[in-house]
Amino acid sequence: MTSDPGLQPTVHELDVCLRAPVSVLSAHDGTVRGQGAEGVYCGDVRVLSVVGVTVAGRAPDGIGGGSTGTGTSRHVAVLRGLGDPGPDPTIRLETVRELADDGLTETLRLVSGAAQPLHAEVVLTLATDLATVEEVKSGQPRPLVAPDGEGWAGRGVVVAVPGLEADGDHGRLTWTVEVPPRGEVALDWSVRVVDPGGVTAAAPTPSTWSTPRVTCDDSRLAPLLTQSLEDLAGLRMVTTTEPDDVFAAAGAPWYLTLFGRDSLWTARLLLPLGTELAGGTLRTLAARQGTRRDDATGEEPGKVLHEIRRPPVAEEGTTPFLPPVYFGTVDATPLWVCLLHDAWRWGLPADEVEALLDPLERALGWLATDADPDGDGFLEYLDRTGTGLANQGWKDSHDSVRFVDGRIADGPIALAEAQAYAHEAMLGGAALLEAFGRPGAQRWRDRAADLRARFRDAFWVGDAEGRYPAIALDGDKVPVDAPASNMGHLLGTGLLDAEESAQVAARLGSPAMDSGFGLRTMATTAGGYGPLTYHCGSVWPHDTAIALTGLARDGHRAPAASLARGVLAAGESFGQRLPELFAGDPATEVRRALAYPASCRPQAWSAAAPVAVLTAVLGLRPDVPAGRLEVAPLRPAPLGALRVEGLRIGSDDVTVAVSAAGEVEVTGFSGEVVLG
């Protein structure tokens, strides 16, 4: 693990204990050594950067441990040289960590297998730099902040540790103990954080989504789903202004807050388990929908935001990379509409849908106005400040939009997938307006048809392998022609006809795109490809899940099956906890996927990917308002026989079973079941 100043610290080898807004990134023995990204975080602030224990002056040697559930972990270490003589360790230290809404409690348990009592002084050493997440991510170290009484105060937060005694820049808790022979002693300590400037908080209730019971011939699916739902439970948050509406934070440690597209996609992929997360996400974002034009923040009337952060503390003289409320995203607004439509189809109560129709109309209005500043019919973006995000789709790194020869495109940029989301949003918005007796539906259907025709004329390019949609149009309306995973987001949106969909499916299924662990963000044949680039060759599980969903919906079974198996292979590579992204090296060359060192883990939309696998493999297409459920599984069954109990469709608890031969059985749905 590197902690060199100026380099983003690596996190792939750290243990993560998470219950948002609190998280602990530690070594696998549970210690926080003051290196890199290690620390105890509350929201956007690292409240402890050192947590270490000595017993009789000796540092424990970790032997194992890690997360035991949402917000809990257990780590075991041995104290060599204490206890009975001989090579076998007879004194061990067990650290049981439990996170709370505003801090954590730990129990340090000294367990003896020795024949004689152990008399020892136990010292817990704590320290903090009160760094923001942005500062930690930048790799620029901050000096330690000296304790003030029983804790620390600064940068707008108060960190309290009862019993703490100051020792220079560190604080210490000290116990003198006697551990009886073959007995144990337990020592408790805690830290609590008060952050008046925080914009997010812990969810007030446990998760309400269904926890499905999965029986599958492929034994990798059930444990991956279990770990993923545990991770998602740890990422549940609310804002301080909408404390009853729960959303999924994007990921730990860098993005533990509300992100427009991430939170929307997570809720969308999780719809088979219930609509509550979707409702909370939609309402939280609608409450912050843009009302004015502001180049500094990217706000525009009807636009849905990109992210929110804790405001900087003025006396510290720090400036965040982006404004605390930032709207620099071209896709969150149409995705908000798509989620509202899909949640309605999955059974979001009509009164909740109706309460969001005004924000729906404002979002649709943005698609037809500020989203298309030059009036060419395409959504596009350009950062006008020079300090915001240069790219404002999900691939938001500066170099993600490239030509096939590797050149980086100049803006304004019109992304392919943003047009697909807009097309789907216009059709879904029209369906909602019509269903709830509001005017304007035909206007949006006509506009969607026009967008579809314009896209066909402007975006398609070709090479020796055939035709495919470009990533984007650049500022001169030239197609940016590197083959990339963006095209996978067009499937299932209605933007493509059957022949075009088949051409995209063939490209996604090629060895240049399908790594065996999922879909590469850019084909290996492109000049900008690199297996460890953030958006130009790496694999993102959510990106794979979106393409997989579209492939299944459009009937492309072979590439869909391959991507489904790739998600499971990736999960196995990372101990069933899917990271934000990983390297694009092929499964033919590496047995396990290789880590992207700075990747968030867990990441919400990655954790939602296994649910997307269920949806695609089973072929679930509900229409609860019409009392209808279509089940069109992938055949032949890519994961063997699969039975899922506890799917939530409307108010029904539904079981769907598909045999290895593709025979379907559905129970529990109160409406019409149509088998495809």
PDB file of all heavy atoms in Angstrom, residues 13 26-27 73 130 135 183 191 220 235 256 336 383 425 469 477 524 536 574 579-580 588:
ATOM      1  N   GLU A  13      -6.407  -3.181  -0.337  1.00  0.00           N
ATOM      2  CA  GLU A  13      -5.959  -4.162   0.643  1.00  0.00           C
ATOM      3  C   GLU A  13      -6.482  -3.861   2.051  1.00  0.00           C
ATOM      4  O   GLU A  13      -6.125  -4.568   3.001  1.00  0.00           O
ATOM      5  CB  GLU A  13      -4.425  -4.209   0.661  1.00  0.00           C
ATOM      6  CG  GLU A  13      -3.824  -4.770  -0.623  1.00  0.00           C
ATOM      7  CD  GLU A  13      -2.314  -4.837  -0.571  1.00  0.00           C
ATOM      8  OE1 GLU A  13      -1.722  -4.126   0.263  1.00  0.00           O
ATOM      9  OE2 GLU A  13      -1.728  -5.597  -1.364  1.00  0.00           O
ATOM     10  N   SER A  26      -9.204   0.019   7.837  1.00  0.00           N
ATOM     11  CA  SER A  26      -8.100  -0.417   8.692  1.00  0.00           C
ATOM     12  C   SER A  26      -7.288  -1.483   7.993  1.00  0.00           C
ATOM     13  O   SER A  26      -7.696  -2.031   6.963  1.00  0.00           O
ATOM     14  CB  SER A  26      -8.641  -0.969  10.016  1.00  0.00           C
ATOM     15  OG  SER A  26      -9.314  -2.199   9.811  1.00  0.00           O
ATOM     16  N   ALA A  27      -6.126  -1.786   8.588  1.00  0.00           N
ATOM     17  CA  ALA A  27      -5.414  -2.986   8.178  1.00  0.00           C
ATOM     18  C   ALA A  27      -6.265  -4.194   8.580  1.00  0.00           C
ATOM     19  O   ALA A  27      -7.214  -4.088   9.369  1.00  0.00           O
ATOM     20  CB  ALA A  27      -4.055  -3.047   8.863  1.00  0.00           C
ATOM     21  N   SER A  73     -17.407  -5.603  12.937  1.00  0.00           N
ATOM     22  CA  SER A  73     -16.247  -6.379  12.505  1.00  0.00           C
ATOM     23  C   SER A  73     -15.586  -6.999  13.735  1.00  0.00           C
ATOM     24  O   SER A  73     -15.805  -6.561  14.870  1.00  0.00           O
ATOM     25  CB  SER A  73     -15.234  -5.517  11.737  1.00  0.00           C
ATOM     26  OG  SER A  73     -14.683  -4.520  12.578  1.00  0.00           O
ATOM     27  N   LEU A 130      -8.067  15.260  11.227  1.00  0.00           N
ATOM     28  CA  LEU A 130      -9.316  15.914  10.817  1.00  0.00           C
ATOM     29  C   LEU A 130      -9.304  16.281   9.333  1.00  0.00           C
ATOM     30  O   LEU A 130      -9.809  17.335   8.926  1.00  0.00           O
ATOM     31  CB  LEU A 130      -9.595  17.147  11.681  1.00  0.00           C
ATOM     32  CG  LEU A 130      -9.872  16.876  13.167  1.00  0.00           C
ATOM     33  CD1 LEU A 130     -10.139  18.180  13.908  1.00  0.00           C
ATOM     34  CD2 LEU A 130     -11.025  15.907  13.364  1.00  0.00           C
ATOM     35  N   GLU A 135      -9.092  15.721   0.872  1.00  0.00           N
ATOM     36  CA  GLU A 135      -7.681  15.847   1.210  1.00  0.00           C
ATOM     37  C   GLU A 135      -7.009  14.487   1.306  1.00  0.00           C
ATOM     38  O   GLU A 135      -5.878  14.297   0.844  1.00  0.00           O
ATOM     39  CB  GLU A 135      -7.532  16.618   2.526  1.00  0.00           C
ATOM     40  CG  GLU A 135      -7.888  18.088   2.399  1.00  0.00           C
ATOM     41  CD  GLU A 135      -8.035  18.779   3.739  1.00  0.00           C
ATOM     42  OE1 GLU A 135      -8.328  18.100   4.742  1.00  0.00           O
ATOM     43  OE2 GLU A 135      -7.864  20.007   3.786  1.00  0.00           O
ATOM     44  N   GLY A 183      -8.574 -17.337  31.308  1.00  0.00           N
ATOM     45  CA  GLY A 183      -9.697 -16.421  31.461  1.00  0.00           C
ATOM     46  C   GLY A 183      -9.591 -15.275  30.486  1.00  0.00           C
ATOM     47  O   GLY A 183      -8.794 -15.288  29.541  1.00  0.00           O
ATOM     48  N   VAL A 191     -16.014   6.404  20.628  1.00  0.00           N
ATOM     49  CA  VAL A 191     -15.826   7.740  20.072  1.00  0.00           C
ATOM     50  C   VAL A 191     -17.165   8.199  19.517  1.00  0.00           C
ATOM     51  O   VAL A 191     -17.890   7.412  18.895  1.00  0.00           O
ATOM     52  CB  VAL A 191     -14.727   7.759  18.975  1.00  0.00           C
ATOM     53  CG1 VAL A 191     -15.032   6.786  17.848  1.00  0.00           C
ATOM     54  CG2 VAL A 191     -14.549   9.167  18.415  1.00  0.00           C
ATOM     55  N   ARG A 220     -21.957 -19.686  -6.840  1.00  0.00           N
ATOM     56  CA  ARG A 220     -21.370 -18.362  -6.577  1.00  0.00           C
ATOM     57  C   ARG A 220     -22.428 -17.287  -6.382  1.00  0.00           C
ATOM     58  O   ARG A 220     -22.154 -16.240  -5.774  1.00  0.00           O
ATOM     59  CB  ARG A 220     -20.450 -17.969  -7.733  1.00  0.00           C
ATOM     60  CG  ARG A 220     -19.282 -18.909  -7.965  1.00  0.00           C
ATOM     61  CD  ARG A 220     -18.518 -18.551  -9.232  1.00  0.00           C
ATOM     62  NE  ARG A 220     -19.329 -18.720 -10.433  1.00  0.00           N
ATOM     63  CZ  ARG A 220     -18.907 -18.478 -11.673  1.00  0.00           C
ATOM     64  NH1 ARG A 220     -17.660 -18.041 -11.861  1.00  0.00           N
ATOM     65  NH2 ARG A 220     -19.700 -18.650 -12.714  1.00  0.00           N
ATOM     66  N   LEU A 235     -24.664   1.229   3.213  1.00  0.00           N
ATOM     67  CA  LEU A 235     -24.585   2.467   2.432  1.00  0.00           C
ATOM     68  C   LEU A 235     -25.856   3.301   2.493  1.00  0.00           C
ATOM     69  O   LEU A 235     -25.929   4.365   1.881  1.00  0.00           O
ATOM     70  CB  LEU A 235     -24.263   2.133   0.973  1.00  0.00           C
ATOM     71  CG  LEU A 235     -22.838   1.644   0.712  1.00  0.00           C
ATOM     72  CD1 LEU A 235     -22.731   0.966  -0.650  1.00  0.00           C
ATOM     73  CD2 LEU A 235     -21.834   2.795   0.804  1.00  0.00           C
ATOM     74  N   LEU A 256     -19.103   8.715  -0.072  1.00  0.00           N
ATOM     75  CA  LEU A 256     -20.104   8.325   0.918  1.00  0.00           C
ATOM     76  C   LEU A 256     -21.096   9.472   1.123  1.00  0.00           C
ATOM     77  O   LEU A 256     -21.171  10.106   2.176  1.00  0.00           O
ATOM     78  CB  LEU A 256     -19.427   7.939   2.228  1.00  0.00           C
ATOM     79  CG  LEU A 256     -20.252   7.065   3.181  1.00  0.00           C
ATOM     80  CD1 LEU A 256     -20.603   5.736   2.524  1.00  0.00           C
ATOM     81  CD2 LEU A 256     -19.505   6.831   4.477  1.00  0.00           C
ATOM     82  N   TRP A 336     -33.551  10.101 -13.493  1.00  0.00           N
ATOM     83  CA  TRP A 336     -34.586  10.310 -12.479  1.00  0.00           C
ATOM     84  C   TRP A 336     -35.955   9.960 -13.066  1.00  0.00           C
ATOM     85  O   TRP A 336     -36.756   9.270 -12.424  1.00  0.00           O
ATOM     86  CB  TRP A 336     -34.542  11.765 -12.005  1.00  0.00           C
ATOM     87  CG  TRP A 336     -35.446  12.065 -10.840  1.00  0.00           C
ATOM     88  CD1 TRP A 336     -35.109  12.079  -9.519  1.00  0.00           C
ATOM     89  CD2 TRP A 336     -36.841  12.400 -10.901  1.00  0.00           C
ATOM     90  NE1 TRP A 336     -36.210  12.389  -8.750  1.00  0.00           N
ATOM     91  CE2 TRP A 336     -37.288  12.587  -9.572  1.00  0.00           C
ATOM     92  CE3 TRP A 336     -37.760  12.544 -11.935  1.00  0.00           C
ATOM     93  CZ2 TRP A 336     -38.608  12.920  -9.263  1.00  0.00           C
ATOM     94  CZ3 TRP A 336     -39.086  12.871 -11.636  1.00  0.00           C
ATOM     95  CH2 TRP A 336     -39.501  13.064 -10.323  1.00  0.00           C
ATOM     96  N   ASP A 383     -18.393  22.203 -19.361  1.00  0.00           N
ATOM     97  CA  ASP A 383     -18.085  22.924 -18.132  1.00  0.00           C
ATOM     98  C   ASP A 383     -17.660  24.344 -18.485  1.00  0.00           C
ATOM     99  O   ASP A 383     -16.641  24.552 -19.139  1.00  0.00           O
ATOM    100  CB  ASP A 383     -16.983  22.208 -17.351  1.00  0.00           C
ATOM    101  CG  ASP A 383     -16.521  23.021 -16.162  1.00  0.00           C
ATOM    102  OD1 ASP A 383     -17.397  23.505 -15.415  1.00  0.00           O
ATOM    103  OD2 ASP A 383     -15.300  23.199 -15.991  1.00  0.00           O
ATOM    104  N   ALA A 425     -36.595   8.246 -21.138  1.00  0.00           N
ATOM    105  CA  ALA A 425     -37.290   9.134 -20.213  1.00  0.00           C
ATOM    106  C   ALA A 425     -38.496   9.796 -20.888  1.00  0.00           C
ATOM    107  O   ALA A 425     -39.556   9.955 -20.259  1.00  0.00           O
ATOM    108  CB  ALA A 425     -36.330  10.201 -19.694  1.00  0.00           C
ATOM    109  N   PRO A 469     -22.371   2.230 -32.521  1.00  0.00           N
ATOM    110  CA  PRO A 469     -22.555   3.631 -32.150  1.00  0.00           C
ATOM    111  C   PRO A 469     -21.291   4.204 -31.511  1.00  0.00           C
ATOM    112  O   PRO A 469     -20.637   3.549 -30.688  1.00  0.00           O
ATOM    113  CB  PRO A 469     -23.697   3.598 -31.132  1.00  0.00           C
ATOM    114  CG  PRO A 469     -24.271   2.227 -31.208  1.00  0.00           C
ATOM    115  CD  PRO A 469     -23.168   1.329 -31.675  1.00  0.00           C
ATOM    116  N   LYS A 477     -19.437  18.125 -33.769  1.00  0.00           N
ATOM    117  CA  LYS A 477     -20.444  17.125 -34.168  1.00  0.00           C
ATOM    118  C   LYS A 477     -19.829  15.951 -34.918  1.00  0.00           C
ATOM    119  O   LYS A 477     -20.501  15.260 -35.690  1.00  0.00           O
ATOM    120  CB  LYS A 477     -21.558  17.754 -35.021  1.00  0.00           C
ATOM    121  CG  LYS A 477     -22.192  18.975 -34.395  1.00  0.00           C
ATOM    122  CD  LYS A 477     -22.800  18.703 -33.036  1.00  0.00           C
ATOM    123  CE  LYS A 477     -23.399  19.955 -32.410  1.00  0.00           C
ATOM    124  NZ  LYS A 477     -23.943  19.710 -31.041  1.00  0.00           N
ATOM    125  N   THR A 524     -10.163  -3.387 -26.395  1.00  0.00           N
ATOM    126  CA  THR A 524      -8.697  -3.526 -26.439  1.00  0.00           C
ATOM    127  C   THR A 524      -8.114  -3.042 -27.753  1.00  0.00           C
ATOM    128  O   THR A 524      -6.915  -2.773 -27.846  1.00  0.00           O
ATOM    129  CB  THR A 524      -8.296  -4.987 -26.225  1.00  0.00           C
ATOM    130  OG1 THR A 524      -8.919  -5.800 -27.236  1.00  0.00           O
ATOM    131  CG2 THR A 524      -8.742  -5.490 -24.852  1.00  0.00           C
ATOM    132  N   CYS A 536     -11.139   3.730 -19.496  1.00  0.00           N
ATOM    133  CA  CYS A 536     -10.723   3.390 -20.857  1.00  0.00           C
ATOM    134  C   CYS A 536     -10.133   1.983 -20.921  1.00  0.00           C
ATOM    135  O   CYS A 536      -9.060   1.775 -21.495  1.00  0.00           O
ATOM    136  CB  CYS A 536      -9.726   4.416 -21.388  1.00  0.00           C
ATOM    137  SG  CYS A 536     -10.369   6.098 -21.480  1.00  0.00           S
ATOM    138  N   PHE A 574     -13.051 -11.146  -5.650  1.00  0.00           N
ATOM    139  CA  PHE A 574     -12.918 -10.120  -4.609  1.00  0.00           C
ATOM    140  C   PHE A 574     -13.665 -10.493  -3.334  1.00  0.00           C
ATOM    141  O   PHE A 574     -14.185  -9.625  -2.635  1.00  0.00           O
ATOM    142  CB  PHE A 574     -13.407  -8.772  -5.155  1.00  0.00           C
ATOM    143  CG  PHE A 574     -12.562  -8.239  -6.273  1.00  0.00           C
ATOM    144  CD1 PHE A 574     -13.001  -8.311  -7.593  1.00  0.00           C
ATOM    145  CD2 PHE A 574     -11.308  -7.701  -6.024  1.00  0.00           C
ATOM    146  CE1 PHE A 574     -12.224  -7.835  -8.636  1.00  0.00           C
ATOM    147  CE2 PHE A 574     -10.519  -7.225  -7.063  1.00  0.00           C
ATOM    148  CZ  PHE A 574     -10.972  -7.288  -8.371  1.00  0.00           C
ATOM    149  N   PRO A 579     -15.971  -4.486  -6.123  1.00  0.00           N
ATOM    150  CA  PRO A 579     -15.469  -3.113  -6.010  1.00  0.00           C
ATOM    151  C   PRO A 579     -16.099  -2.206  -7.055  1.00  0.00           C
ATOM    152  O   PRO A 579     -16.827  -2.647  -7.951  1.00  0.00           O
ATOM    153  CB  PRO A 579     -13.973  -3.286  -6.257  1.00  0.00           C
ATOM    154  CG  PRO A 579     -13.882  -4.455  -7.181  1.00  0.00           C
ATOM    155  CD  PRO A 579     -15.018  -5.378  -6.807  1.00  0.00           C
ATOM    156  N   GLU A 580     -15.781  -0.948  -6.940  1.00  0.00           N
ATOM    157  CA  GLU A 580     -16.213   0.063  -7.899  1.00  0.00           C
ATOM    158  C   GLU A 580     -15.795  -0.332  -9.310  1.00  0.00           C
ATOM    159  O   GLU A 580     -16.594  -0.262 -10.257  1.00  0.00           O
ATOM    160  CB  GLU A 580     -15.594   1.392  -7.491  1.00  0.00           C
ATOM    161  CG  GLU A 580     -15.824   2.558  -8.406  1.00  0.00           C
ATOM    162  CD  GLU A 580     -14.979   3.763  -7.996  1.00  0.00           C
ATOM    163  OE1 GLU A 580     -14.102   3.634  -7.112  1.00  0.00           O
ATOM    164  OE2 GLU A 580     -15.195   4.845  -8.583  1.00  0.00           O
ATOM    165  N   THR A 588      -8.649 -15.197 -19.573  1.00  0.00           N
ATOM    166  CA  THR A 588      -7.789 -16.207 -20.188  1.00  0.00           C
ATOM    167  C   THR A 588      -6.336 -16.068 -19.742  1.00  0.00           C
ATOM    168  O   THR A 588      -5.529 -16.975 -19.941  1.00  0.00           O
ATOM    169  CB  THR A 588      -7.859 -16.098 -21.718  1.00  0.00           C
ATOM    170  OG1 THR A 588      -7.552 -14.748 -22.102  1.00  0.00           O
ATOM    171  CG2 THR A 588      -9.250 -16.479 -22.218  1.00  0.00           C
TER     172      THR A 588
END
